[in-house]
């Protein structure tokens, strides 16, 4: 099974997506850290309402890709577009874009000196200049939905990892973004708390929100993704719907990746 | 103006150097005594006896709360009266600077020892090391690493504080400079000289302390 | 050791006055140092070439020279250049010069302690640079810097004991004068010690309590 280039891969995307509008597009993205090329000619279109899960071995560039989408990492080549409009360059003003594209981090990063509600209000009130009373209603509704209504006045240090991450998701949602980026948001959580966070993300997916998710949770990836983007060494190697990717991936590299993650006993003839 | 100043300094260099020797002697003696004293008292802070710990604590707090210059004057003025001895400025200076340095050092030593995780002691004992081996091979090396940057910083502070001894009559480099000023009325170049002199003495130590901190980050 | 109580009571008002002056001086120095500390860090972070070097040079110069020399330089050296400042002015300037360098370092440590990820989280919410500094960086930086700042404040209060050498009528100046005049060494030194205890102990306790309250109120997860 030969590896396909980015252009060829686009044709393997599920036909249903072709009817939806393109929300985010990455065209020939090139990113280097010094002399090391981390993203090499990466092209991808993300449609409205689509849930894209990005998988790949460590160092393949998946987190970097995500971070380029909201300007946390500058790119050295290629174009980024939101609804066709070019995104700001490395010296531009990303504030408007960042209000539309929310991001949740692996290390959570709630502001420790503010309680939950203060964390939620900061963005909408300071950045979007909305009235506090109005935002409070929305914020409380979100907290209710994720089951943390009674934790409004708690400080981050008083919450468990799963609770904090749910608050972090809600914090990003309070800005009413059109898309959400999730960067391995459960990787640092204790196993029992992973589910409560993934459930929230799943719900967002079912409501039709555009999501780009980097994760190692294969079961979750399979359940939530509209399509799987598999990356290796800074390039997109394969794009497939989850049903195909996890059963019979189109590329050998994807197969090798899955072998490492799904711990199945090896047969005698299989190479290590 | 600068040429005149340099000429002035060169002419009076022997006097200034003489004062500098005095300064450095006092500083060196105080540093050696103070650091040794500090190690002993530092361990005393961790003693099992609460009486010893309290005594150490009172000693530390006494020098933490009362400024060094006050102690200097207490020593210089009160000791002759109390013990019916004459005490030279140098002696009072070395006495107080050592005691103060010892107090500060004891806090550093205590901090260094307590910052070593208990797990290190446990691991060492689990490997079958005797107490002496444990301390020599595991604990003391680590304690020294945690101690050194702060200790070097303390030495810098002690050198700066040595400048105070001019106030109890010691003919150190500051006093010599003042004598020259009295004669020549050239205050600016001489105080500038002192400024630069102390900077040359202390800056390398400051760099050393920083380098040590970077080499052994905690 | 016999204390002449009448001497003590007679000169109490003198000590009171000197204590107030010393405290006032200390407070002025603390305020000045904090201003220098904040401005120094603001300047240091400007995208100007040489800004960091300039601040670093100042800090190293101030920290590696004794206050005594700095004060003598200001009070006895500057008149050669035609600048005649009073002892009190020189004292405030000298203490601020020294204290400012300590504050710059303490506040810088606080700023450096704010995680890069926190800044990214703030940026992801669309915060501007100013909003980021105000809502995310400064609160955390100041909380981290507080112990260092508190220690610097105590340090400055103690360093005020040196200013007597440039004719500031502070506690040391008074004590030496009294000893010279009346030979009441024990009594004078006792009052001196009590005065410093009175000044430093409450400050030390107050700042320790403030530190503790901040640590419990805002413990970082």
């Amino acid at each position: 099974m030969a590896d396909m280039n980015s252009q060829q891969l686009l044709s393997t995307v599920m036909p249903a997506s072709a009817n939806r509008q393109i929300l985010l597009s990455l065209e020939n993205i090139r990113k280097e850290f010094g002399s090391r090329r981390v993203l090499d000619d990466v092209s991808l279109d993300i449609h409205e309402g689509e849930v894209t899960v990005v998988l790949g071995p460590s160092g393949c560039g998946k987190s970097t890709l995500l971070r380029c989408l909201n300007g946390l990492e500058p790119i050295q080549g290629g174009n980024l577009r939101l609804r066709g409009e070019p995104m700001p360059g490395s010296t531009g003003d990303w504030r408007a874009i960042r209000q539309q594209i929310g991001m949740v981090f692996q290390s959570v990063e709630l502001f420790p000196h503010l309680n939950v509600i203060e964390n939620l209000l900061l963005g909408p009130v300071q950045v979007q200049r909305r009235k506090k009373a109005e935002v409070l209603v929305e914020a409380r509704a979100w907290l209710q939905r994720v089951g943390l209504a009674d934790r409004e006045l708690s400080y981050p240090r008083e919450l468990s990892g799963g609770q904090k991450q749910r608050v972090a998701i809600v914090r990003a949602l309070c800005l009413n973004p059109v898309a959400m980026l999730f960067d391995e948001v459960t990787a640092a959580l204790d196993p029992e708390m992973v589910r409560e966070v993934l459930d929230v993300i799943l719900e967002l997916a079912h409501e039709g929100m555009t999501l780009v998710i980097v994760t190692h949770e294969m079961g979750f990836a399979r359940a939530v993704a509209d399509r799987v983007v598999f990356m290796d060494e800074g390039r997109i190697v394969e794009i497939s719907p989850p049903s195909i990717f996890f059963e019979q991936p189109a590329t050998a590299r994807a197969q090798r990746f899955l072998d490492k993650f799904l711990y199945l006993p090896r047969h005698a003839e299989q190479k290590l | 103006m600068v040429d005149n100043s340099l000429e002035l300094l060169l002419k009076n260099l022997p006097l200034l150097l003489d004062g500098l020797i005095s300064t450095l002697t006092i500083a060196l003696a105080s540093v050696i005594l103070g650091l040794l004293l500090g190690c002993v008292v530092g361990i005393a802070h961790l003693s099992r006896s609460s009486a010893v710990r309290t005594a150490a604590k009172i000693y530390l707090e006494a020098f933490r709360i009362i400024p060094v210059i006050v102690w200097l004057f207490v020593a210089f003025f009160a000791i002759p009266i109390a013990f019916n001895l004459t005490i030279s400025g140098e002696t009072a200076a070395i006495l107080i600077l050592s005691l103060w340095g010892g107090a500060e050092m004891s806090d550093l030593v205590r901090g260094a020892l307590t910052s070593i995780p208990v797990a290190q002691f446990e691991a060492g004992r689990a490997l079958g090391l005797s107490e002496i081996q444990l301390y020599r091979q595991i604990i003391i090396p680590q304690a020294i690493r945690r101690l050194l940057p702060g200790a070097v910083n303390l030495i810098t502070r002690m050198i700066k504080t040595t400048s105070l001894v001019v106030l109890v009559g010691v003919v150190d480099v500051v006093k010599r400079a003042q004598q020259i000023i009295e004669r020549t009325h050239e205050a600016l170049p001489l105080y500038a000289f002192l400024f630069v002199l102390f900077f040359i003495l202390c800056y390398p130590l400051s760099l050393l302390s920083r380098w040590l901190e970077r080499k052994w980050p905690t | 050791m016999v204390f002449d109580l009448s001497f003590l009571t007679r000169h109490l008002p003198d000590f009171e006055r000197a204590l107030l002056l010393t405290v006032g001086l200390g407070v002025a120095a603390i305020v000045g140092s904090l201003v220098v500390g904040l401005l120094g860090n603001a300047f240091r972070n400007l995208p100007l070439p040489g800004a960091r070097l300039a601040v670093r040079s100042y800090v190293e110069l101030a920290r590696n020279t004794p206050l005594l020399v700095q004060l003598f330089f200001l009070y006895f050296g500057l008149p050669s250049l035609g600048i005649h400042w009073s002892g009190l002015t020189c004292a405030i300037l000298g203490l601020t010069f020294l204290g400012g360098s300590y504050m710059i370092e303490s506040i810088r440590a606080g700023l450096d302690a704010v995680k890069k990820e926190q800044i990214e989280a703030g940026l992801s919410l669309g915060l501007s640079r100013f909003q980021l500094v105000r809502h995310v960086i400064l609160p955390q930086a100041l909380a981290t810097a507080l112990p260092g700042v508190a220690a610097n404040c105590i340090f400055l209060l103690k360093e005020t004991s040196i200013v007597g050498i440039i004719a500031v009528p502070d506690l040391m100046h008074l004590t030496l004068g009294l000893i010279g005049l009346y030979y009441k060494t024990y009594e004078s030194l006792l009052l001196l010690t009590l005065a410093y205890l009175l000044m430093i102990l409450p400050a030390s306790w107050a700042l320790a309590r403030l530190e503790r309250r901040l640590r419990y109120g805002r413990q970082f997860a």
Side-chain angles (χ1 to χ4, degrees), chain B residues 1 61 63-70 73-75 77-79 81-83 100 104 153 156-157 159-161 163-164 166-167 174 178 181 185-189 191-192 194-196 198-200 202-207 210, chain C residues 1 56-57 59-70 72-74 76-78 80-81 97-98 102 105 108 154-155 157-159 161-163 165 172 176 179 183 185-186 189 192-194 196-201 204:
Chain B
M1 188 173 88
E61 290 299 312
F63 277 92
R64 277 270 164 93
I65 296 173
I66 312 284
V68 177
I69 189 174
V70 175
F73 283 114
V74 167
F77 288 114
I79 289 181
I81 302 179
F83 301 105
W100 170 64
E104 294 282 338
N153 177 270
T156 310
R157 283 185 290 152
I159 294 177
K160 287 194 289 174
T161 310
S163 62
L164 294 179
V166 64
L167 303 172
V174 178
Q178 286 178 329
I181 292 172
H185 301 290
E186 295 279 358
L188 191 62
Y191 284 123
L194 287 178
F195 212 95
V196 172
F198 274 98
F199 185 76
I200 292 175
C202 295
Y203 184 55
L205 288 173
S206 171
L207 285 177
R210 228 181 273 250
Chain C
M1 249 190 252
R56 170 89 194 265
S57 307
V59 169
E60 291 298 331
L61 208 60
R63 282 167 61 131
N64 288 300
T65 48
L67 181 63
L68 181 117
V69 173
Q70 292 168 9
F72 277 155
F73 181 85
L74 285 171
F76 294 116
L78 289 187
S80 308
L81 298 172
F97 178 76
L98 179 64
Y102 279 79
E105 288 297 283
R108 183 175 69 87
I154 308 276
F155 167 75
L157 285 175
K158 283 165 61 184
E159 289 291 288
S161 55
I162 303 186
V163 305
I165 58 174
M172 285 302 309
L176 291 174
I179 293 179
Y183 298 97
T185 312
Y186 289 147
L189 288 173
L192 176 67
T193 311
L194 286 175
Y196 272 106
L197 273 168
L198 198 61
M199 187 170 71
I200 307 285
L201 268 180
S204 188

Side-chain angles (χ1 to χ4, degrees), chain B residues 14 26 37 42 60 62 65 86 102 113 116 150 174:
Chain B
I26 295 177
L37 179 63
L60 175 60
I65 296 173
T86 40
L113 288 172
I116 298 176
V174 178

Side-chain angles (χ1 to χ4, degrees), chain A residues 21-138:
Chain A
Q21 292 271 41
I22 293 177
L23 184 63
L24 285 166
S25 77
L26 297 90
E27 296 161 19
N28 312 104
I29 303 297
R30 178 169 55 89
K31 170 145 186 79
E32 279 135 16
F33 277 129
S35 57
R36 195 164 62 97
R37 187 162 293 193
V38 185
L39 292 175
D40 190 3
D41 194 31
V42 171
S43 295
L44 183 64
D45 282 332
I46 292 165
H47 301 84
E48 290 219 33
E50 184 171 43
V51 178
T52 306
V53 173
V54 183
L55 299 176
S58 299
C60 69
K62 53 193 196 292
S63 280
T64 310
L65 186 68
L66 219 62
R67 290 159 63 87
C68 289
L69 280 171
N70 74 344
L72 286 180
E73 299 287 352
I75 56 175
Q76 279 80 45
N79 293 307
L80 289 164
R81 292 180 199 281
L82 176 66
R83 290 211 172 99
E85 295 298 315
M87 299 221 228
S90 48
T91 48
D93 187 2
W94 280 84
R95 281 184 289 159
I97 301 282
R98 286 170 179 159
Q99 293 172 52
Q100 304 203 61
I101 303 180
M103 183 156 181
V104 186
F105 300 85
Q106 181 176 331
S107 53
V108 186
E109 304 302 338
L110 290 180
F111 303 126
H113 54 290
L114 302 174
N115 64 24
V116 166
I117 202 73
E118 286 166 345
N119 261 279
L120 300 183
L121 292 174
L122 186 63
V125 171
Q126 296 294 333
V127 181
Q128 294 176 327
R129 308 221 146 280
R130 290 163 59 192
K131 290 227 181 316
K132 185 173 161 186
E134 172 203 324
V135 183
L136 258 179
V137 172
E138 251 186 62

Side-chain angles (χ1 to χ4, degrees), chain C residues 32-44:
Chain C
S33 301
L34 282 169
V35 169
V36 171
L38 289 166
L39 289 178
N41 273 286
F43 180 71
R44 194 177 168 271

